[in-house]
Amino acid sequence: MSEFLEVVFNIPIDSSFTYLPPAKNPGDSSTWVGRRVIASFGRRKATGFVVGLKSEAPAGVGTIKAADRFLDKEPLFGTGEIELARWMGEMYLCSLGEALGSMLPGARRDSTVPAFPADEPIGEDEIRELSDEQDAAIASMAARQGGTFYLYGITGSGKTEVFLAAARRALDAGRGVIYLVPEISLTHQLIEAVRKRFPGPVAVLHSAMTPSQRLAAWHSLRLGETMIAVGARSAIFAPVRNLGLVIIDEEHEGSYKSSSAPRYHARQVAMKRCALAGASLVMGSATPSVEAWRLMETGGMERLSLTRRLSGGEMPAIRVVDMRGEDGCLSRSLVGEIEETKALGRQTILFLNRRGFSYFFHCRTCGYELKCRHCSVSLTFHKAANRMVCHYCGFSAPPPSVCPECGSLDVGYAGYGTEQVEETVRARFPGYTVRRVDTDSVSKKGELKTVLDEFRSGGVDILLGTQMVAKGLNFPGVRLVGVVQADTALQLPDFRSAERTFSLITQVAGRAGRFFKDGTVIVQTFHPEADAIRLSCSGRQDEFYAREIVAREALGFPPFSRIVRLVFRSKNGMSASSAAGEAVAIVETLALEVEVLGPAECPIGVIAGNHRYQILLKSAALPTAHRAARAVKEGLRLPADTYLEVDVDPVSLL
Ligand code: ADP
Ligand code: ZN
Ligand code: ZN
């Protein structure tokens, strides 16, 4: 007879607590596990998760209190989800309660970009014959249920069609499907395709849903009324019944990694979930992450290649322009191509990964550089708002007209953002219709869709913007893509900066020539000789990966090692720095095969007034790095003003 509830809370404490079931309406004990309860915890009431039942009270505990009440009528989590959460605890060094908390719908927002309205009219789906390559990919997947596959296909090679066909197979076999996309608000075309293809309920999990909408979708999936869930990162936890397939579109995207605890990677969680459920996993991209590439090379993942564009286009010619001989942000070649594109009645996309007007205020007399008062990053000038803005913490101040340090009037701005490019473009091309999309210019629900619809219908000559124009969009009229500044990520002190630059250029360039053979791409750079730029622009993908893998191996970086990053954060710089120092001392007493890098100030040393110091624990084997990190977590007495962030397999080291 099970009498007691085993309850965990969403706090960084690794133990469970025992309660009696609520006195009122306890219901049947078979429904207890997986429900949330409200219970007294210390001096307050807290929400906990019932993760198990006990027939005996733990020894040495006085009177056991009853929980106040169940929050849910039915379990939110099944035993499978609780098992997955236990694995997350081990993997990401968090408590079971934190893991369950991160799985819960509505617990956290994935994106701040407004989502598209869900109730769009849906037209008829086109029936298409699959290409031989697409057929072959589907046949390989069908031959090995439970396998892990990578759909490596150039941009526009019809990966979506393969994903949809694979989903069809799984659903026909009575199994459920999770379809992950990097950011739901940029995935309107896909969601339409899924709705058309699979009449009946589809759970689209997006950030604009209210908590109760999310809960309703969650229950509908648990009951098996809905067999397919589409969403961003956290949709990997969707309680799809009888899971048969997980799809990860644009696998290389950084948004699959959570930036708050537990810092899980949806790809890693997907691998575990699929293994537990006997489900197949297929991910895809034109620019796989280096980790994924390595897995394909070593046989951990089966590569399915798509090499041809299917809607009449061809891979565009890419021209590299060395900006060292140019003035301003538009090179002569780019200006010429924009004019030619307009003369042909076609359209241009300009891409720049930086918003604002200029990102750097400096004094030519004393060299002073205007930084955020709370972060160690330069402020960005936003001209329309006439403010200097911090992109990390949101701090803003009026722009100075003299140097705050020496009073000199010889001050100026350097570097350009989308706002300045827009001004330049409008001045240089009067009579052209120009639209800018970035989080400053499209912030309201529906605005992004309006601009993109306008562009698709041909009413706009030049679409200018940040990542929002780079991802997953298909516009027939586009002839020219201009990458205004390809170097923005290249100089960052992070071992993934080459990979990111390579992937961004390849993805943006892929927006051109999708439907016609005359696609043209211009890549402006100050570093034409860099591998990431040279090889992406000449279409030598495989060579880039080969070189990058050699470089990673030489330096012992992932995928040749595993890293656990520990960041110590405090308003008090001394506390953060000495905690990092003590952590190193703890690891050194362990005599483990682990390399300790640091302690060092993080490349971004202060964010929002918090000083940040880090150590990196690097080891050939993850369990070793895990042991070192666990020893720090358990052995270190942190002062009350100092926090420890644990990041297993970090994607950013900034
Ligand atoms: P990817 O995801 O690989 O970038 P998409 O799935 O967006 O590519 O497909 C690119 C274009 O090719 C789309 O317009 C799509 O409608 C079209 N397409 C896909 N498969 C086929 C096919 N078998 N026959 C004709 N056109 C196709
Ligand atoms: Zn000065
Ligand atoms: Zn700031």
mmCIF file of all heavy atoms in Angstrom, residues 535-550:
data_model
loop_
_atom_site.group_PDB
_atom_site.id
_atom_site.type_symbol
_atom_site.label_atom_id
_atom_site.label_comp_id
_atom_site.label_asym_id
_atom_site.label_seq_id
_atom_site.Cartn_x
_atom_site.Cartn_y
_atom_site.Cartn_z
ATOM 1 N N LEU A 535 35.822 29.495 -48.037
ATOM 2 C CA LEU A 535 35.277 28.191 -48.387
ATOM 3 C C LEU A 535 33.747 28.209 -48.495
ATOM 4 O O LEU A 535 33.180 27.481 -49.299
ATOM 5 C CB LEU A 535 35.747 27.130 -47.387
ATOM 6 C CG LEU A 535 37.277 26.943 -47.374
ATOM 7 C CD1 LEU A 535 37.702 26.009 -46.237
ATOM 8 C CD2 LEU A 535 37.792 26.410 -48.705
ATOM 9 N N SER A 536 33.087 29.064 -47.709
ATOM 10 C CA SER A 536 31.637 29.140 -47.888
ATOM 11 C C SER A 536 31.325 29.790 -49.224
ATOM 12 O O SER A 536 30.399 29.391 -49.916
ATOM 13 C CB SER A 536 30.968 29.910 -46.745
ATOM 14 O OG SER A 536 31.464 31.221 -46.660
ATOM 15 N N CYS A 537 32.134 30.782 -49.614
ATOM 16 C CA CYS A 537 31.840 31.501 -50.850
ATOM 17 C C CYS A 537 32.194 30.695 -52.090
ATOM 18 O O CYS A 537 31.688 30.971 -53.170
ATOM 19 C CB CYS A 537 32.561 32.849 -50.865
ATOM 20 S SG CYS A 537 31.889 33.973 -49.632
ATOM 21 N N SER A 538 33.064 29.703 -51.948
ATOM 22 C CA SER A 538 33.377 28.900 -53.129
ATOM 23 C C SER A 538 32.645 27.560 -53.087
ATOM 24 O O SER A 538 32.930 26.668 -53.875
ATOM 25 C CB SER A 538 34.890 28.703 -53.250
ATOM 26 O OG SER A 538 35.406 28.219 -52.030
ATOM 27 N N GLY A 539 31.698 27.427 -52.134
ATOM 28 C CA GLY A 539 30.889 26.215 -52.086
ATOM 29 C C GLY A 539 31.680 24.979 -51.696
ATOM 30 O O GLY A 539 31.268 23.855 -51.977
ATOM 31 N N ARG A 540 32.823 25.174 -51.020
ATOM 32 C CA ARG A 540 33.626 23.998 -50.648
ATOM 33 C C ARG A 540 33.321 23.612 -49.200
ATOM 34 O O ARG A 540 34.175 23.670 -48.319
ATOM 35 C CB ARG A 540 35.112 24.299 -50.844
ATOM 36 C CG ARG A 540 35.505 24.225 -52.314
ATOM 37 C CD ARG A 540 36.428 25.341 -52.723
ATOM 38 N NE ARG A 540 37.792 25.120 -52.258
ATOM 39 C CZ ARG A 540 38.719 26.079 -52.229
ATOM 40 N NH1 ARG A 540 38.424 27.304 -52.626
ATOM 41 N NH2 ARG A 540 39.925 25.814 -51.815
ATOM 42 N N GLN A 541 32.070 23.196 -48.992
ATOM 43 C CA GLN A 541 31.591 22.841 -47.666
ATOM 44 C C GLN A 541 32.442 21.767 -47.012
ATOM 45 O O GLN A 541 32.880 21.916 -45.876
ATOM 46 C CB GLN A 541 30.190 22.236 -47.801
ATOM 47 C CG GLN A 541 29.265 22.981 -48.679
ATOM 48 C CD GLN A 541 28.313 23.777 -47.854
ATOM 49 O OE1 GLN A 541 28.055 23.446 -46.712
ATOM 50 N NE2 GLN A 541 27.819 24.834 -48.402
ATOM 51 N N ASP A 542 32.633 20.669 -47.755
ATOM 52 C CA ASP A 542 33.288 19.517 -47.153
ATOM 53 C C ASP A 542 34.703 19.868 -46.727
ATOM 54 O O ASP A 542 35.196 19.409 -45.704
ATOM 55 C CB ASP A 542 33.274 18.329 -48.117
ATOM 56 C CG ASP A 542 31.844 17.898 -48.440
ATOM 57 O OD1 ASP A 542 30.911 18.694 -48.163
ATOM 58 O OD2 ASP A 542 31.652 16.787 -48.957
ATOM 59 N N GLU A 543 35.353 20.743 -47.527
ATOM 60 C CA GLU A 543 36.706 21.157 -47.189
ATOM 61 C C GLU A 543 36.701 21.997 -45.910
ATOM 62 O O GLU A 543 37.584 21.863 -45.061
ATOM 63 C CB GLU A 543 37.293 21.964 -48.353
ATOM 64 C CG GLU A 543 38.777 22.209 -48.205
ATOM 65 C CD GLU A 543 39.346 22.991 -49.392
ATOM 66 O OE1 GLU A 543 38.747 22.962 -50.501
ATOM 67 O OE2 GLU A 543 40.384 23.652 -49.195
ATOM 68 N N PHE A 544 35.700 22.834 -45.774
ATOM 69 C CA PHE A 544 35.625 23.620 -44.540
ATOM 70 C C PHE A 544 35.544 22.702 -43.326
ATOM 71 O O PHE A 544 36.275 22.854 -42.354
ATOM 72 C CB PHE A 544 34.428 24.574 -44.542
ATOM 73 C CG PHE A 544 34.259 25.261 -43.203
ATOM 74 C CD1 PHE A 544 35.067 26.325 -42.854
ATOM 75 C CD2 PHE A 544 33.348 24.782 -42.270
ATOM 76 C CE1 PHE A 544 34.961 26.922 -41.595
ATOM 77 C CE2 PHE A 544 33.237 25.371 -41.013
ATOM 78 C CZ PHE A 544 34.043 26.442 -40.679
ATOM 79 N N TYR A 545 34.639 21.709 -43.396
ATOM 80 C CA TYR A 545 34.488 20.809 -42.244
ATOM 81 C C TYR A 545 35.778 20.048 -41.980
ATOM 82 O O TYR A 545 36.190 19.884 -40.827
ATOM 83 C CB TYR A 545 33.323 19.844 -42.468
ATOM 84 C CG TYR A 545 31.988 20.524 -42.303
ATOM 85 C CD1 TYR A 545 31.194 20.833 -43.403
ATOM 86 C CD2 TYR A 545 31.536 20.884 -41.047
ATOM 87 C CE1 TYR A 545 29.971 21.472 -43.249
ATOM 88 C CE2 TYR A 545 30.313 21.527 -40.883
ATOM 89 C CZ TYR A 545 29.537 21.815 -41.990
ATOM 90 O OH TYR A 545 28.339 22.452 -41.834
ATOM 91 N N ALA A 546 36.420 19.584 -43.048
ATOM 92 C CA ALA A 546 37.656 18.821 -42.865
ATOM 93 C C ALA A 546 38.695 19.672 -42.142
ATOM 94 O O ALA A 546 39.319 19.233 -41.176
ATOM 95 C CB ALA A 546 38.172 18.350 -44.221
ATOM 96 N N ARG A 547 38.856 20.922 -42.577
ATOM 97 C CA ARG A 547 39.851 21.801 -41.949
ATOM 98 C C ARG A 547 39.476 22.148 -40.518
ATOM 99 O O ARG A 547 40.308 22.191 -39.628
ATOM 100 C CB ARG A 547 39.955 23.109 -42.733
ATOM 101 C CG ARG A 547 40.767 22.985 -43.986
ATOM 102 C CD ARG A 547 40.624 24.266 -44.803
ATOM 103 N NE ARG A 547 41.514 24.205 -45.946
ATOM 104 C CZ ARG A 547 42.739 24.738 -45.947
ATOM 105 N NH1 ARG A 547 43.190 25.385 -44.905
ATOM 106 N NH2 ARG A 547 43.503 24.620 -47.011
ATOM 107 N N GLU A 548 38.203 22.429 -40.319
ATOM 108 C CA GLU A 548 37.748 22.813 -38.992
ATOM 109 C C GLU A 548 37.951 21.645 -38.011
ATOM 110 O O GLU A 548 38.353 21.849 -36.865
ATOM 111 C CB GLU A 548 36.278 23.232 -39.060
ATOM 112 C CG GLU A 548 35.687 23.803 -37.789
ATOM 113 C CD GLU A 548 36.331 25.108 -37.304
ATOM 114 O OE1 GLU A 548 37.019 25.788 -38.095
ATOM 115 O OE2 GLU A 548 36.156 25.432 -36.105
ATOM 116 N N ILE A 549 37.716 20.436 -38.490
ATOM 117 C CA ILE A 549 37.872 19.267 -37.616
ATOM 118 C C ILE A 549 39.341 19.061 -37.257
ATOM 119 O O ILE A 549 39.682 18.776 -36.111
ATOM 120 C CB ILE A 549 37.206 18.035 -38.264
ATOM 121 C CG1 ILE A 549 35.692 18.142 -37.986
ATOM 122 C CG2 ILE A 549 37.768 16.738 -37.697
ATOM 123 C CD1 ILE A 549 34.849 17.056 -38.558
ATOM 124 N N VAL A 550 40.228 19.284 -38.224
ATOM 125 C CA VAL A 550 41.668 19.195 -37.939
ATOM 126 C C VAL A 550 42.049 20.235 -36.882
ATOM 127 O O VAL A 550 42.765 19.942 -35.919
ATOM 128 C CB VAL A 550 42.492 19.387 -39.234
ATOM 129 C CG1 VAL A 550 43.972 19.574 -38.903
ATOM 130 C CG2 VAL A 550 42.292 18.201 -40.163
#
